[in-house]
Amino acid sequence: MRSRPEPGARCRLVLRDARVPRALVEEPEAFGGRAEHDCLRGDLLIEEGRVRRLLARGAPVDAAAERDLGGRVVLPRLAEPHCHLDKCHTVSRLGPVGGDLHRAIEDQQADRARWTREDLRERAGRGLAELRASGCGAVRTHVDWDAEHVPQGSAPLAWEIIGELAAEASPPVTVQRCALLSLPDFDDRSYVSAAARLLASGDGALGVFVLGQADMPARLRRVIELAERHSLALDFHVDESLGQGPEGLEAIARALVETGFEGPVLCGHACALMNLEGERLARVIELIARSGVSIVALPATNLYLQGRGEGTPQRRGITRVRELRDAGVRVAFGSDNVADAFCPVGRLDPMHALELAVLTAHLDPPFAPWLRAVSTDARRALGLDAQPVDRCRSADLLVAGAFHSADVVRGAARQSLEEYLSGSGGDARPAAGYREPFRNGES
Ligand SMILES: [Zn+2]
């Protein structure tokens, strides 16, 4: 970085020629820069560690330091709204796996005996490192909370280990742990009350697996009452099936509307919405919108497990992403399972989930609005502040080796701004031979 002492500069840094996806700016009119496709382009002014605005390119600035980004895209750190750090990286020892959701649950269950302190630290630590390398500043991981094996008033070992890993992370990353219980567990009020007290003491979220169980409305009421009493965020694995439903999602949305629970509530999967069409679909989506829930689509695991039959699948495992967003429902994308019985491949990288969703759900460019689903909207879905670029600390910025939002989505290298400026930890420069289409043409 070129540095020169400037007594009056007040720690100003100028990043010359930056592109910022317009949809990731809270107040684009006030932010400055020139509109170019779905981005704003200009010189990014950072003062005292905070983003201030985009200046016209080449504007004279009294700055302590400056760096030319050459038109690269700047975005806020990503958020991973749904993953399973307790299960990840087990596939290599599972033997032959493959089948539907129920088979995956059985196969994964058989692996539990190996979940020692060392094993969990190694696998969850690797998963968390992968999320941080992908540019995540916030992560929600589910942790299996199997009432049969976790005594009342205690937490699973994975809960503790992931808590330790989160506390050790440097630079820091926000890790939300979400207990994954099953709906029938809420019949034992003293058990779930003890669990809720434990979650509340550690900033945990309350997660519930909802798929085809009996007495949904009454049991969901108990879930919501408990969350209300302990001020817990709710997170459902719901209607993870193309074969039945979507009675779970509908019951959750109705219960939320009736109770007025203010959330945050995040519903994952919801593949069963694919079973509805026309007016019936419109009515359910309107109810979902009214309930205020956010939906996280999880394409990798759903593509692998759903629509299984004898041969090649005919249906796609994904929820009604486009219809939900058109109705004003907040949509996010998450990595879900990676290298385990539920998905033997995958990546702990929400941008990869977005790329899969582009193909699976036919999301079309411009992609800047969809980038919200792995950053600002994903954070809102987790109950965090949105962190748009114009409200960001410089420590929360990423630089991508991309000159267009489509290149960001297809996996251009991402580095934190700090790594980029110091030239360490990867390379946000585009691959050799990459020709920047607008670099000389429109400036
Ligand atoms: Zn999941």
Side-chain angles (χ1 to χ4, degrees):
M1 191 193 313
R2 184 168 68 88
S3 293
R4 55 198 167 91
E6 287 284 351
R10 297 193 307 137
C11 306
R12 274 181 166 177
L13 165 67
V14 179
L15 300 172
R16 297 284 185 192
D17 194 11
R19 283 189 173 95
V20 177
R22 186 184 162 92
L24 302 185
V25 177
E26 181 118 332
E27 294 184 62
E29 301 308 327
F31 192 52
R34 198 192 59 174
E36 188 184 279
H37 304 273
D38 55 359
C39 288
L40 297 168
R41 190 172 183 177
D43 293 346
L44 190 64
L45 177 64
I46 291 168
E47 263 179 344
E48 295 172 342
R50 296 205 79 88
V51 170
R52 296 298 176 202
R53 61 189 308 258
L54 271 179
L55 307 165
R57 284 175 64 193
V61 185
D62 183 16
E66 62 178 69
R67 179 74 168 260
D68 191 343
L69 295 189
R72 287 176 179 77
V73 174
V74 171
L75 60 162
R77 288 210 287 173
L78 308 184
E80 169 58 67
H82 182 129
C83 67
H84 294 263
L85 291 178
D86 56 346
K87 298 187 179 93
C88 69
H89 298 304
T90 50
V91 73
S92 59
R93 67 196 189 195
L94 292 180
V97 294
D100 63 7
L101 175 65
H102 301 289
R103 168 80 191 275
I105 291 171
E106 281 171 28
D107 287 338
Q108 199 69 63
Q109 191 70 32
D111 187 60
R112 291 290 172 77
R114 298 189 179 103
W115 293 17
T116 61
R117 171 170 285 276
E118 294 69 33
D119 174 62
L120 283 161
R121 269 195 76 88
E122 194 276 319
R123 291 186 298 98
R126 182 176 162 198
L128 187 57
E130 288 167 351
L131 285 163
R132 294 178 58 219
S134 81
C136 284
V139 171
R140 176 176 288 175
T141 176
H142 294 266
V143 179
D144 277 16
W145 198 297
D146 180 351
E148 253 183 63
H149 297 104
V150 179
Q152 182 168 324
S154 63
L157 179 59
W159 187 268
E160 191 188 314
I161 303 291
I162 293 169
E164 287 172 14
L165 292 167
E168 291 163 13
S170 173
V173 55
T174 301
V175 178
Q176 294 184 346
R177 290 169 296 172
C178 180
L180 180 49
L181 291 130
S182 187
L183 194 55
D185 296 335
F186 289 79
D187 298 346
D188 183 344
R189 289 173 196 237
S190 81
Y191 184 87
V192 288
S193 292
R197 280 194 293 277
L198 217 147
L199 302 188
S201 69
D203 270 345
L206 181 58
V208 190
F209 182 83
V210 178
L211 179 65
Q213 296 103 337
D215 300 330
M216 272 189 198
R219 285 167 154 172
L220 286 168
R221 285 263 182 174
R222 274 176 233 151
V223 172
I224 293 168
E225 280 165 23
L226 197 64
E228 184 85 66
R229 198 173 328 133
H230 295 276
S231 302
L232 297 171
L234 280 172
D235 192 316
F236 294 93
H237 277 70
V238 57
D239 294 342
E240 187 176 352
S241 171
L242 285 176
Q244 61 189 102
E247 71 268 10
L249 184 55
E250 204 176 349
I252 290 167
R254 184 159 292 120
L256 290 169
V257 168
E258 287 170 3
T259 56
F261 182 73
E262 290 190 348
V265 183
L266 181 56
C267 286
H269 297 292
C271 315
L273 269 186
M274 283 298 182
N275 297 332
L276 302 184
E277 285 182 355
E279 234 175 77
R280 173 99 173 86
L281 174 65
R283 270 207 311 278
V284 172
I285 287 185
E286 189 273 330
L287 179 64
I288 295 167
R290 206 145 38 93
S291 74
V293 302
S294 304
I295 302 284
V296 57
L298 304 157
T301 300
N302 291 158
L303 285 170
Y304 185 67
L305 293 179
Q306 299 302 318
R308 288 217 167 221
E310 284 303 306
T312 309
Q314 295 179 20
R315 296 185 71 191
R316 296 179 177 203
I318 192 85
T319 190
R320 295 256 183 204
V321 173
R322 294 162 52 133
E323 294 86 344
L324 287 163
R325 203 191 60 159
D326 289 349
V329 177
R330 183 179 297 127
V331 173
F333 297 105
S335 304
D336 205 7
N337 298 89
V338 171
D340 63 20
F342 296 78
C343 183
V345 291
R347 288 182 214 162
L348 283 154
D349 176 358
M351 195 66 80
H352 180 60
L354 171 56
E355 187 182 11
L356 283 176
V358 167
L359 304 175
T360 316
H362 291 170
L363 311 182
D364 298 320
F367 288 128
W370 286 110
L371 289 172
R372 290 177 180 149
V374 291
S375 56
T376 50
D377 278 355
R379 286 182 62 92
R380 284 190 183 99
L382 299 180
L384 301 169
D385 59 307
Q387 210 173 76
V389 172
D390 49 341
R391 303 279 184 272
C392 257
R393 299 179 309 147
S394 54
D396 291 320
L397 291 177
L398 299 178
V399 179
F403 305 101
H404 192 278
S405 54
D407 283 327
V408 177
V409 175
R410 72 183 185 87
R414 280 159 259 140
Q415 288 177 284
S416 70
L417 176 61
E418 193 184 348
E419 285 168 345
Y420 181 83
L421 293 177
S422 67
S424 67
D427 190 357
R429 283 159 217 288
Y434 186 98
R435 290 182 65 84
E436 206 271 87
F438 310 112
R439 202 164 183 177
N440 302 315
E442 296 177 294
S443 41

